[in-house]
Amino acid sequence: MEQTFIMIKPDGVQRGLVGEIISRFEKKGFILKGLRMVGVERSFAEKHYEDLSSKPFFTGLVEYIISGPVVAMVWEGKGVVATGRKIIGATNPAASEPGTIRGDFAVEIGRNVIHGSDAVESAKKEIALWFPDGVVDWQSSLHS
Ligand code: UDP
Ligand code: MG
């Protein structure tokens, strides 16, 4: 079954949005398979965002991610990668639709509350990075 990596960024934690964000994925019908609150090391943040290392915003992005604890999660379900991105909304909150997490809770691109994997392949890579010991193996009794 498809899985995606979702991270509530430090601003999302500090603003008390953890429950709200978990609730949106849960109510949609996706299944929580991994959950960790962690303070991120600089080198780890650089690794997570290595594909963006040449971007002008890279240093600021890394500073943002290490500025406080994050909540790292694995969510599972049919089409969860693409649908997760829809639930999150566009990268720049100025363009995120109302009803999406960024559309409802963010203004600044550099403080956009949440990360979600952009493809099935990057999800696998990110889950392996953040959950090296694997996720929790359980099946919802509501899904067959
Ligand atoms: N970002 C930024 N300035 C930009 C573009 C991106 O600060 O001009 C940050 C923003 O926090 C974004 C993250 O870098 O969420 C990763 O960028 P990406 O293009 O992968 O966006 P995402 O996949 O998070 O929507
Ligand atoms: Mg991205």
Side-chain angles (χ1 to χ4, degrees), residues 49 52 85 91 115-118 126:
Y49 279 122
L52 300 175
R85 294 280 294 191
T91 304
H115 165 85
S117 307
D118 62 7
E126 291 170 3

Side-chain angles (χ1 to χ4, degrees), residues 26-54:
E26 215 168 29
K27 286 176 186 163
K28 172 69 177 169
F30 292 132
I31 307 297
L32 185 61
K33 288 288 175 101
L35 177 71
R36 285 174 63 217
M37 184 179 219
V38 350
V40 183
E41 302 274 354
R42 180 179 298 275
S43 58
F44 190 92
E46 287 169 351
K47 175 92 184 137
H48 171 75
Y49 279 122
E50 66 185 359
D51 293 350
L52 300 175
S53 60
S54 63

Side-chain angles (χ1 to χ4, degrees), residues 9 49 52 57 61 64 85 91 102 109-110 112 114-116:
K9 293 174 175 177
Y49 279 122
L52 300 175
F57 58 83
L61 173 58
Y64 166 38
R85 294 280 294 191
T91 304
R102 287 167 174 166
I109 194 169
N112 62 358
I114 183 167
H115 165 85

Side-chain angles (χ1 to χ4, degrees), residues 79-137:
V80 70
V81 173
T83 303
R85 294 280 294 191
K86 284 188 192 160
I87 291 171
I88 289 171
T91 304
N92 188 344
S96 317
E97 296 294 334
T100 66
I101 291 167
R102 287 167 174 166
D104 289 348
F105 301 120
V107 173
E108 299 278 346
I109 194 169
R111 293 290 183 273
N112 62 358
V113 173
I114 183 167
H115 165 85
S117 307
D118 62 7
V120 171
E121 278 315 302
S122 50
K124 285 183 184 155
K125 210 172 135 189
E126 291 170 3
I127 291 166
L129 178 67
W130 287 83
F131 291 85
D133 299 328
V135 297
V136 181
D137 184 20

